[in-house]
Amino acid sequence: MDAEAVNLAAGNERRRRARRGQGAREWFERLLARADIRVGGDRPWDMQLLAPDVPERVLGQGTVGLGESYMDGHWTAERLDQFFDKLVRAQMALGNQGPAAATRPPMWHLLKSRWLNRQTKRRAWEVGQRHYDLGNDFYEAMLDKRMTYTCAYWSGGAATLDQAQEAKLELVCRKLGLQPGMRVLDIGCGWGSFMKYAAERHGVQCIGVTVSAEQVALGRERCAGLPVEFLLQDYRDLPGKVSRFDRIVSLGMFEHVGHKNYASFMHLAESLLQPEGLFLLHTIGRNEQGDGTNPWIDKYIFPNGELPTIARIGRACEQRFVVEDLHNFGADYDRTLMSWFANVEAAWPRFAERLGERFHRMWTYYLLSCAGDFRARDIQLWQWVLSPRGVPGGYRRST
């Protein structure tokens, strides 16, 4: 092929790419306009394109393309939380025709989420190593003084994150009716914030289980001298190693269980609970049944995670538990996430060199996109109180 033909072919290809890029951008702008988001607008939630490839990446890769292009610095928004609030609210209002339809999970993600058990014993350790073992110093900077990595309870009038997290821990203790000397199991105990609080304030003995070596190391240090024990193991290995408990609590761990394991999780909890005991399950949940979780969150933040629905939790409770109480304070997670984000931003100079700017953008995207989701009421936070046989005379919720 002579030089003239080569140049002609190259020119044709450039024009095809330009037309494709222009078409993708027009499609992208129309889509965002349905959520009242303008590309290049001057409002805090408007998107600023810093590279031309973003529309094509979103068109081709959906949620992963949107998140990765943000991590790469190819787009930004002054208030990312407001951007996602707008995007998600429009999707909820418009359904399958909404703007977030463009970021649906790819077919392979849907299939593996629907048909595979992505939360096996082997896979369970992955989230501990990739997420919770990032560094205790980083989480100490982000979280409250007790290191409580779950939704705080602001509805009672708390003014600070520390107060809101302590209010949540006390709320859990009251719902469980803790009494001195009780034995309590914490499934997914984190750094032991609940166990430490319950042991100090209510005189109980606690055993906690987690798949994070970093959490166990710091948790044992923080709970030294208290009747608190940490086990580094999968929750499924508990039977045969511990006796029955008066109370069981699980705060923010059920999102790592997976729908194929819900029934066996509830069976295990029932088998480890005294017949007159109570089990409090605190979990994020979604409004309608889906497949897995946001693919970007799955890839970068919580591998193999899955948000349950009320229906799926309810079915797993059948013939095992009486649902005594169901409390939704998901709107409080918005303020919790914004507080964590403010803490990370204030502490970031300490971590910038070690973690790098791409991590910084990834973590910002994680916290603020989730804040927008909760603000839009697309996802919820539930506390379930369950009993094996039903509380005689009925259960009365503590507030």
Side-chain angles (χ1 to χ4, degrees):
M1 182 180 292
D2 58 27
E4 183 178 353
V6 169
N7 289 337
L8 179 61
N12 289 337
E13 179 60 24
R14 284 194 297 272
R15 285 188 288 274
R16 279 195 295 270
R17 287 181 180 176
R19 287 194 298 271
R20 186 165 61 243
Q22 182 61 31
R25 174 153 182 159
E26 291 173 357
W27 161 84
F28 192 60
E29 289 182 350
R30 287 195 303 270
L31 208 62
L32 291 182
R34 303 184 73 176
D36 189 31
I37 298 170
R38 300 173 192 152
V39 175
D42 58 3
R43 299 167 301 178
W45 59 85
D46 285 333
M47 174 185 274
Q48 309 304 320
L49 288 184
L50 306 176
D53 65 338
V54 176
E56 288 187 83
R57 290 178 73 173
V58 174
L59 182 60
Q61 299 173 281
T63 299
V64 172
L66 185 68
E68 287 183 342
S69 58
Y70 183 87
M71 291 165 61
D72 293 339
H74 288 191
W75 70 274
T76 191
E78 180 184 342
R79 288 290 304 271
L80 198 62
D81 54 311
Q82 292 183 11
F83 171 89
F84 277 100
D85 179 29
K86 290 274 189 181
L87 191 71
V88 174
R89 284 184 187 277
Q91 180 64 25
M92 292 171 69
L94 296 168
N96 291 334
Q97 303 304 312
T103 59
R104 285 177 184 154
M107 186 56 66
W108 63 267
H109 183 85
L110 295 175
L111 290 175
K112 71 179 183 180
S113 298
R114 185 170 299 177
W115 300 112
L116 300 180
N117 184 356
R118 302 178 63 236
Q119 295 82 12
T120 61
K121 282 187 182 182
R122 180 179 62 82
R123 288 177 178 271
W125 295 89
E126 191 175 343
V127 71
Q129 295 160 1
R130 288 178 50 191
H131 188 86
Y132 297 109
D133 289 349
L134 273 173
N136 287 330
D137 58 341
F138 179 75
Y139 285 112
E140 282 180 306
M142 183 178 90
L143 303 175
D144 64 298
K145 66 181 180 182
R146 292 183 177 275
M147 295 187 72
T148 311
Y149 195 12
T150 51
C151 182
Y153 187 61
W154 301 89
S155 301
T160 68
L161 180 62
D162 284 345
Q163 291 173 358
Q165 289 293 17
E166 194 156 299
K168 190 268 300 298
L169 296 176
E170 180 60 28
L171 179 67
V172 171
C173 291
R174 291 201 306 269
K175 285 183 177 182
L176 287 171
L178 295 186
Q179 299 294 326
M182 282 184 171
R183 295 182 67 251
V184 181
L185 172 65
D186 187 343
I187 303 176
C189 62
W191 292 274
S193 62
F194 170 78
M195 296 194 295
K196 187 174 188 293
Y197 183 91
E200 289 174 337
R201 301 290 182 89
H202 295 271
V204 299
Q205 305 170 37
C206 300
I207 293 178
V209 60
T210 176
V211 292
S212 167
E214 290 286 314
Q215 289 181 335
V216 168
L218 184 58
R220 287 172 175 166
E221 180 183 318
R222 292 170 71 95
C223 295
L226 293 171
V228 171
E229 180 182 354
F230 286 81
L231 301 176
L232 180 61
Q233 64 181 64
D234 186 88
Y235 70 93
R236 285 163 283 202
D237 293 327
L238 283 169
K241 297 183 180 179
V242 293
S243 56
R244 286 181 178 253
F245 294 86
D246 300 296
R247 300 290 188 266
I248 297 177
V249 65
S250 184
L251 306 178
M253 177 270 179
F254 197 69
E255 300 90 332
H256 303 302
V257 171
H259 71 275
K260 289 188 175 294
N261 304 306
Y262 291 166
S264 59
F265 178 92
M266 291 297 181
H267 175 74
L268 179 145
E270 181 195 22
S271 72
L272 293 176
L273 187 61
Q274 294 285 5
E276 304 305 322
L278 292 173
F279 172 29
L280 186 142
L281 178 68
H282 170 118
T283 181
I284 299 171
R286 57 193 304 156
N287 295 331
E288 58 189 68
Q289 184 172 313
D291 296 282
T293 189
N294 177 309
W296 183 87
I297 292 285
D298 181 70
K299 183 175 181 179
Y300 288 100
I301 307 299
F302 295 116
N304 308 314
E306 180 177 352
L307 299 185
T309 63
I310 284 180
R312 278 181 160 168
I313 296 176
R315 284 196 295 271
C317 290
E318 289 179 5
Q319 300 182 359
R320 297 180 178 92
F321 288 108
V322 173
V323 178
E324 299 285 1
D325 189 58
L326 176 55
H327 182 189
N328 183 353
F329 56 95
D332 286 15
Y333 226 141
D334 175 13
R335 190 171 175 183
T336 304
L337 286 154
M338 296 304 293
S339 297
W340 291 344
F341 172 70
N343 287 347
V344 170
E345 290 302 283
W348 181 248
R350 292 164 43 197
F351 303 102
E353 184 175 355
R354 186 178 97 198
L355 297 175
E357 184 56 26
R358 196 165 193 267
F359 175 92
H360 185 205
R361 293 183 67 84
M362 178 189 78
W363 209 256
T364 295
Y365 190 90
Y366 153 49
L367 294 177
L368 295 186
S369 65
C370 289
D373 270 354
F374 279 103
R375 192 176 308 163
R377 304 310 310 281
D378 184 46
I379 49 179
Q380 313 301 327
L381 188 285
W382 301 313
Q383 283 190 351
W384 300 65
V385 178
L386 311 172
S387 67
R389 297 179 178 175
V391 175
Y395 176 85
R396 299 294 181 267
R397 178 196 291 177
S398 297
T399 59

